[in-house]
Amino acid sequence: MSAHENVQNEQVLIIGAGPCGLSAALELQAVGIEPLLIEKHAVVHSIYQYPTYMNFFSTAELLEIGGIPFTTPSDKPSRREALQYYRDVALRRKLRIRAYEEAAAIRPQPDGSFLVETVDRFGGKRVYATGHVVVATGYFDHPNMLGIPGEELPKVTHFFGEAHPYTGMKVSIIGGNNSAVDAAMELLRVGAEITVVYRGENYSPSIKPWVRPLFEGNVNKGSIRMLFSSQVVRIDPDSVTIQPLADGAAPYRIDNDFVLALTGFRPERTLLTDAGATVNPETTVPSFDPETMETDVPGLFIAGVIAAGREANEIFIESGRHHGKLIAQRIVALTGRE
């Protein structure tokens, strides 16, 4: 870093303004610290990425942060209601959020502080000096790639927004968990011709119990084509090639217009590992103290899904929202604040 660069001083910097990052900010606010949040997209971008008409599995109460009530007339709040709730919380509590600014590096300093380098969407660079960093990045930016020919074609997406664009189209869904099942059920309503390709031998045990009978019923009557023990090995403009996993089975092609590769996501670890934090190479779980959420780099904390391993859905908002209180308590202890 050159000497003439302006460095902005912050007591605590939070990277990521998802529900768990916002929760950490509110808990720090409660002990008299006004952190700065750096968010490379908009507030709660991960929820914005959910399917347009999705409802949460959780009750509104389990999504609340900072003790602020989340009221909804429904048993299960919708994506739209959650966006409004978290947006309102951020605005009412006047959280300091730098949206559309991405953390590029966390650099520990000899005195135990950190320099955090960021880049905004126009390429502008900033440097922040801070005593404590909380990494609360989600995982929706990093889909599990298939690694097959044709995956880069424009007809392939790792996100399902809504069914309308697929009206009357031949759609292959790769995956067999809730996101794949939910997408298939929505696609039925717009007259899509649906093929679900799943490596598992039978239905995933994680499918929501109230959805599974409906999905199975549609498979049984032929409305949805379900291919178990199978994988897509090639994607072409007008077809996909499917390889059954049985010994000696030959690959075959089916006509296809669009591919939804709903194979899950993985948290990004590079910021942590580049800052010197240890990450288990097998599980990809960072080394951290569950009592404080502090990594093995003093002053560097994690919150939310970043604390999970390859199975990113091990940690949901319901549990990740509590990480902020542990972090705030630790920072208070470190700084001697009352």
Side-chain angles (χ1 to χ4, degrees), residues 283-305:
T283 64
T284 75
V285 176
S287 178
F288 70 98
D289 181 347
E291 306 268 312
T292 64
M293 305 307 293
E294 192 170 16
T295 68
D296 52 359
V297 175
L300 179 62
F301 298 83
I302 54 176
V305 76

Side-chain angles (χ1 to χ4, degrees), residues 171-188:
V171 183
S172 294
I173 300 173
I174 302 173
N177 292 319
N178 281 302
S179 55
V181 168
D182 289 347
M185 295 301 288
E186 281 203 42
L187 289 168
L188 265 185

Side-chain angles (χ1 to χ4, degrees), residues 12-24:
V12 180
L13 199 76
I14 299 174
I15 300 171
C20 300
L22 296 180
S23 175

Side-chain angles (χ1 to χ4, degrees), residues 5-6 101 104 116-120 122-128:
E5 279 181 300
N6 290 325
E101 187 171 328
V116 178
E117 300 170 9
T118 70
V119 183
D120 67 24
F122 305 114
K125 297 182 178 181
R126 287 194 180 94
V127 180
Y128 302 89

